[in-house]
Amino acid sequence: MRAVYFKSGEVELREIQEPSDEGVRVHVRSIGICGSDLRMLELKFPLKFVAGHEVAGVLDDGTPVAVEPMSPCNECVYCQSGDYNLCQRVAATTLGIGRNGCMADELHVPESSLVYLPSNVDVKDACLIEPLAVAVHGMRKAGLEPERRVAVIGGGTIGLCAVAVAGAHLATVGLSARYEHQTAAGRLLGAGGINGQYDLVVECTGAKDTMKEAIKLCQPKGKVLLLGTYWEGISFPQMAIMLKEIAILPSYMYSANGAARDFDIAATLLSRHPEIARALITHRYPLAEVKRAFAVARDRKAGAIKVVLEP
Amino acid sequence: MRAVYFKSGEVELREIQEPSDEGVRVHVRSIGICGSDLRMLELKFPLKFVAGHEVAGVLDDGTPVAVEPMSPCNECVYCQSGDYNLCQRVAATTLGIGRNGCMADELHVPESSLVYLPSNVDVKDACLIEPLAVAVHGMRKAGLEPERRVAVIGGGTIGLCAVAVAGAHLATVGLSARYEHQTAAGRLLGAGGINGQYDLVVECTGAKDTMKEAIKLCQPKGKVLLLGTYWEGISFPQMAIMLKEIAILPSYMYSANGAARDFDIAATLLSRHPEIARALITHRYPLAEVKRAFAVARDRKAGAIKVVLEP
Amino acid sequence: MRAVYFKSGEVELREIQEPSDEGVRVHVRSIGICGSDLRMLELKFPLKFVAGHEVAGVLDDGTPVAVEPMSPCNECVYCQSGDYNLCQRVAATTLGIGRNGCMADELHVPESSLVYLPSNVDVKDACLIEPLAVAVHGMRKAGLEPERRVAVIGGGTIGLCAVAVAGAHLATVGLSARYEHQTAAGRLLGAGGINGQYDLVVECTGAKDTMKEAIKLCQPKGKVLLLGTYWEGISFPQMAIMLKEIAILPSYMYSANGAARDFDIAATLLSRHPEIARALITHRYPLAEVKRAFAVARDRKAGAIKVVLEP
Amino acid sequence: MRAVYFKSGEVELREIQEPSDEGVRVHVRSIGICGSDLRMLELKFPLKFVAGHEVAGVLDDGTPVAVEPMSPCNECVYCQSGDYNLCQRVAATTLGIGRNGCMADELHVPESSLVYLPSNVDVKDACLIEPLAVAVHGMRKAGLEPERRVAVIGGGTIGLCAVAVAGAHLATVGLSARYEHQTAAGRLLGAGGINGQYDLVVECTGAKDTMKEAIKLCQPKGKVLLLGTYWEGISFPQMAIMLKEIAILPSYMYSANGAARDFDIAATLLSRHPEIARALITHRYPLAEVKRAFAVARDRKAGAIKVVLEP
């Protein structure tokens, strides 16, 4: 079968043997290219596994599923309380990081990682469930109550997922995005422009210089939720967060919320809000054109939000 | 088409005209007989609509769905904060109560009431999503945290749904049931017997005399969640709830939880825990045998838990 | 020294030997007559100890103090988490219930039970700290947030303390009282009349028939806090609490709240709000006139709210 | 009267006219020298008012009080919800910052700023209530529940106040201090050494380089409370706070908690825990020796924790 590797900063599509990994076989139907994939390429991060962690596909019998891309231990104190994103085993079992990922014709995953798609969700859109789950998790960690004002900084996939999830929490949402096509996508999901101060500010860019803006947009007693990945560290202007007593809340992946996983809720959102897939997926390429797909994904100015590969 | 009516305490299957109700047409595939249906028959409650509110079916194009059986206004202060079970419009729009219900070949419902089934859930089991949503809602209202001890009083459908939902919250669950087949079903869902005191006691019988047991099983600072319907009122022994400061928490139907409806989470549970359908559905009858189905449902000793009608 | 006993429904002032109880000696300066004292007399409750549990006085060196009238074990799971009102040892160590109470010239108490009075609080008013602590505890248990609407049912001491505490929580307060002098006292503490529905209803009468009013005054999603003692049990109209999902919250005595005891906060309130003592204490009698004091306290219509004994 | 000014980095004791400020006159009895006083001197911060904000004294009639050193507006949305530390008027009305401070023989303050001392608290210790209130506020903002593990970084006044307040919350406390006399003071307040990871880490140094240690000591899902003043900004190692989902909680001054001000609770703590004053106040000087007092306060190695001025 075919599989994508990152080598010395380049994307390679190789023909490899069928994997003998344990678990249920998933025939891949949609793969999302994530900002962290682009970043690992840029950093020439030495990755020995097949890349990719945003994925949906079908089982051998045709049943459509998405895949939660990690396998926590189910036994540690974090797993036992539902916070399995904090399990020590997560990093080593994450698709495309600690084991073979999903940018391939097939992958094998534990049955407990499957998320069975709602009947109106197209498997070709369902790779979006992963970034949506990131936003569901963060908003839950932030304890977002109904009818609040939420500002989202960053109009990429995570930012737009945050817009969608905040809207589902019955919030009024403002989006601060760099490019016009991002603002337009946000508008489709219900986001207006930035206007005044907010109960919750969701930082989704990972850039170092947006933290000041986040603090500025946040009202006293408010919260700043960090959904980006801050490769260069995190710094705040002391006076502002102190005088306004702004809580800074990092968020990492996804876990479980009472009876439901964040991933389950994300699947539900994609079912109830078909506009999410329409707003986010801007490009689709067959797996064979993976190099072109990455080139497009990298060029934000050209209009890409989520670029999807279809094996 | 065929439709079930309650008349003078009797169940009648009548041939009626296709309904001209507004909304999306659902071809009914499974209908649950609920304890409140039995109670309304017993009380000879004058009901002018088609009966029934636990339902799943398929759309015209075959897409499988369950149905949230009420239509809140979406505009009042409760709807705007997600608590739409408290909307004034609920009673008048509930299937089988304020408008034509689901015990029929077809029904029409607003598109917003649809719950698209996860791909591994059989539509013939999916009428269970309604009582599961009742338990999801109650456990959420009770703020059940992980790793708590939960006692469930009552081994009928709601009690067993409470067992399943508490288990999904990573609780240790004890079940107090009247009949052996209920205890066995509870065991299949992870419930042990009653042993000591509990953080949360879930009263699911609606009987007047179980409240004392509930308070007794509840530890100081604990909570008693009321999922039954208490036709004869609710009374507590004063000293016990006072000295133990036990909070009494009524719960009504289902609503929304941040980004997800209780109904969505219930559908997810049915997907992740196929044992729920196996444990709860004890009998299935074609719609034509509706009288026999009700007779069996009424006779708890004979082993019925959930009796399902299949048009 | 002199001490008050309850015998066969009658109040007796006896001359007894100085107590040899352990603890710090408190020279009593003010004693409140509580509704439960009146009730125990009425029920001819067989009480072998000196009566009374609302008290303030001075130490041998003249330092003014109030006394928290129970001695929890400090070791059980409830004591260790601050909820020492739930400690098994409370009943057996409560003044006037399980050991000699405060209606006397002197009493001895553990040093940990002392509450050192704020410098502007008159020791002759400070027996009010006990019923204020009851209201502080209840309002804390109810999680009263700022700027809510609170209705108080009952214009006796506990009801008026609830008014004062709710006002200190920045609530808008309505009072439903039986007598005009109670309403006037409530007005002095900032309470208006009853008007519409409330986020929190505080039931302070202990009467059986007010529960319906409490539920009616409570808005959907609201809470009913029980500060009365319900000798005849507690009953609710099922439909109303169910359809409105009203939480019923019993409250018992007082305990600790993070770094402070409810008793400490009650002392603080008496310091910051001198109008509380002015509004509540309607009569003062020397200890020698205890029989007359009880007679006045019993006759609510005649204008008594809190009757204070001064040894 | 005499009053202390900061001029060009030097402390000056001047003879000035009695102040004509509005409010109640307080005859100062104890003044604490705060780290921020030292810092303002060091930075040669141009301060036109009398210095100082930690103070206790007596009213004209001898009643002992402490003073909450700011005057919020009582009308804005923050004041109305009890969070008056976020009121816009705070900075301009803070003693020693925006109006004449307390390093003088007398000062005038609004009656609402008075905190009447508990009867066993010596007015000569009561200037400690201010830094204790800082710790009470922070611990409340952090939502510290009973029986948690708390690490405190920094053994100065704020750090030791945090130790005392965490202990009052029934926490197990570890202290990381630079000097042996600080560790000894912490031991007197119940703090052990640092050992393992903590639910809550309280950063009290304000130094830039301790943030890494704070994050390291904090367990996953834990919180870092910032009680220091971070003149050089705040930076975190991204990976650690992200992977452990550690919430960063700044805290500013003090406000109200339901029925009580943080300041009231701090006064209560000083009453219940006389060891706090013994552990913290290491030096006392008459106001005339203010220069020497500042010199000692500045020299941490020499054993000073809290240096108190007594006019």
Side-chain angles (χ1 to χ4, degrees), chain D residues 31-58:
Chain D
I31 305 155
I33 297 178
C34 172
S36 68
D37 293 325
L38 300 173
R39 185 53 94 116
M40 281 190 292
L41 277 170
E42 197 183 318
L43 297 174
K44 302 189 179 174
F45 199 85
L47 192 67
K48 58 182 176 176
F49 300 103
V50 176
H53 59 278
E54 302 183 359
V55 63
V58 297

Side-chain angles (χ1 to χ4, degrees), chain B residues 166-237:
Chain B
H169 276 77
L170 304 165
T172 301
V173 188
L175 173 64
S176 168
R178 188 173 296 179
Y179 304 113
E180 175 49 35
H181 70 281
Q182 295 173 331
T183 303
R187 217 176 291 127
L188 205 65
L189 299 173
I194 292 296
N195 169 22
Q197 288 194 318
Y198 293 83
D199 300 290
L200 175 67
V201 178
V202 189
E203 209 302 313
C204 302
T205 69
K208 204 172 178 177
D209 52 355
T210 55
M211 218 53 89
K212 261 188 207 162
E213 185 187 355
I215 299 296
K216 200 174 144 197
L217 290 178
C218 190
Q219 65 173 27
K221 283 198 282 182
K223 296 170 183 175
V224 170
L225 171 66
L226 304 181
L227 290 188
T229 306
Y230 303 84
W231 303 83
E232 297 161 58
I234 303 174
S235 295
F236 299 101

Side-chain angles (χ1 to χ4, degrees), chain D:
Chain D
M1 69 170 204
R2 298 168 300 167
V4 175
Y5 287 84
F6 296 166
K7 176 133 190 225
S8 313
E10 293 298 318
V11 174
E12 289 184 5
L13 184 64
R14 299 186 200 156
E15 191 68 28
I16 62 167
Q17 288 228 287
E18 303 260 317
S20 58
D21 301 344
E22 281 185 33
V24 182
R25 176 158 54 184
V26 177
H27 304 267
V28 178
R29 290 289 179 268
S30 64
I31 305 155
I33 297 178
C34 172
S36 68
D37 293 325
L38 300 173
R39 185 53 94 116
M40 281 190 292
L41 277 170
E42 197 183 318
L43 297 174
K44 302 189 179 174
F45 199 85
L47 192 67
K48 58 182 176 176
F49 300 103
V50 176
H53 59 278
E54 302 183 359
V55 63
V58 297
L59 304 185
D60 284 349
D61 65 0
T63 306
V65 296
V67 175
E68 195 184 36
M70 84 266 224
S71 310
C73 77
N74 285 322
E75 287 175 12
C76 69
V77 62
Y78 301 107
C79 284
Q80 288 295 313
S81 63
D83 299 302
Y84 54 75
N85 59 325
L86 305 175
C87 170
Q88 293 277 7
R89 230 185 96 182
V90 162
T93 63
T94 298
L95 294 182
I97 302 289
R99 61 175 168 144
N100 282 328
C102 66
M103 291 189 175
D105 286 308
E106 290 178 12
L107 81 162
H108 286 71
V109 298
E111 192 162 358
S112 60
S113 298
L114 299 180
V115 179
Y116 292 91
L117 297 188
S119 59
N120 68 333
V121 169
D122 190 334
V123 67
K124 296 207 165 175
D125 296 340
C127 60
L128 278 181
I129 293 175
E130 199 272 350
L132 263 174
V134 167
V136 166
H137 180 72
M139 226 64 85
R140 172 161 73 84
K141 282 284 161 187
L144 181 59
E145 295 178 355
E147 297 180 274
R148 291 293 183 271
R149 282 170 54 79
V150 176
V152 174
I153 303 179
T157 297
I158 293 293
L160 292 167
C161 286
V163 166
V165 174
H169 276 77
L170 305 165
T172 301
V173 188
L175 174 65
S176 167
R178 188 174 297 179
Y179 304 112
E180 175 50 34
H181 69 283
Q182 296 173 330
T183 302
R187 218 176 292 126
L188 205 64
L189 299 172
I194 292 297
N195 169 21
Q197 288 193 320
Y198 293 84
D199 300 290
L200 176 68
V201 178
V202 189
E203 210 303 313
C204 304
T205 69
K208 205 172 177 177
D209 52 355
T210 56
M211 218 53 89
K212 260 188 206 163
E213 185 188 354
I215 298 296
K216 199 175 146 196
L217 289 178
C218 191
Q219 64 173 29
K221 285 199 279 182
K223 297 169 182 174
V224 171
L225 172 66
L226 304 181
L227 290 188
T229 305
Y230 303 84
W231 303 84
E232 296 161 58
I234 303 174
S235 296
F236 300 102
Q238 124 91 1
M239 272 310 172
I241 68 165
M242 205 56 111
L243 295 181
K244 290 161 106 179
E245 284 193 332
I246 294 173
I248 308 295
L249 305 172
S251 175
Y252 179 61
M253 300 186 86
Y254 16 74
S255 55
N257 175 17
R261 293 174 295 188
D262 297 316
F263 238 82
D264 295 315
I265 291 174
T268 285
L269 283 172
L270 208 57
S271 166
R272 298 179 67 197
H273 298 284
E275 69 274 18
I276 296 175
R278 282 201 304 273
L280 265 74
I281 300 179
T282 52
H283 298 77
R284 294 181 186 272
Y285 293 96
L287 187 56
E289 293 183 38
V290 60
K291 280 177 185 285
R292 194 172 144 212
F294 268 82
V296 168
R298 211 177 278 116
D299 185 13
R300 303 256 163 108
K301 280 177 239 168
I305 295 173
K306 178 55 74 186
V307 177
V308 170
L309 292 166
E310 299 179 352

Side-chain angles (χ1 to χ4, degrees), chain C residues 21-78:
Chain C
D21 301 344
E22 280 184 33
V24 182
R25 177 157 54 184
V26 177
H27 304 269
V28 177
R29 289 289 179 268
S30 64
I31 305 156
I33 297 179
C34 172
S36 68
D37 293 324
L38 299 173
R39 187 51 95 114
M40 281 191 292
L41 277 170
E42 197 183 318
L43 297 174
K44 301 188 179 174
F45 199 84
L47 192 67
K48 58 182 178 177
F49 300 103
V50 175
H53 60 276
E54 302 184 358
V55 62
V58 297
L59 304 185
D60 284 350
D61 66 359
T63 306
V65 295
V67 175
E68 194 184 38
M70 85 265 224
S71 311
C73 77
N74 285 322
E75 287 175 11
C76 70
V77 61
Y78 301 107

Side-chain angles (χ1 to χ4, degrees), chain B residues 148-164:
Chain B
R148 290 295 183 268
R149 282 170 55 78
V150 176
V152 174
I153 303 179
T157 297
I158 293 294
L160 292 168
C161 285
V163 166

Side-chain angles (χ1 to χ4, degrees), chain B residues 25-34 37 50-58 64-70 94-96 99-109 113-117 121-132 254 263 267 270 306-311:
Chain B
R25 176 157 55 184
V26 177
H27 304 268
V28 179
R29 290 290 179 269
S30 64
I31 305 156
I33 297 178
C34 172
D37 293 325
V50 175
H53 59 276
E54 302 183 358
V55 61
V58 297
V65 295
V67 175
E68 194 184 37
M70 83 267 224
T94 298
L95 293 183
R99 61 175 167 143
N100 283 328
C102 66
M103 291 190 175
D105 286 308
E106 289 179 10
L107 82 161
H108 286 71
V109 297
S113 298
L114 299 179
V115 178
Y116 292 91
L117 297 188
V121 170
D122 190 333
V123 67
K124 296 207 165 174
D125 295 339
C127 58
L128 279 180
I129 292 175
E130 199 274 348
L132 264 174
Y254 15 74
F263 237 83
L270 208 58
K306 178 56 74 188
V307 176
V308 171
L309 291 166
E310 300 181 350

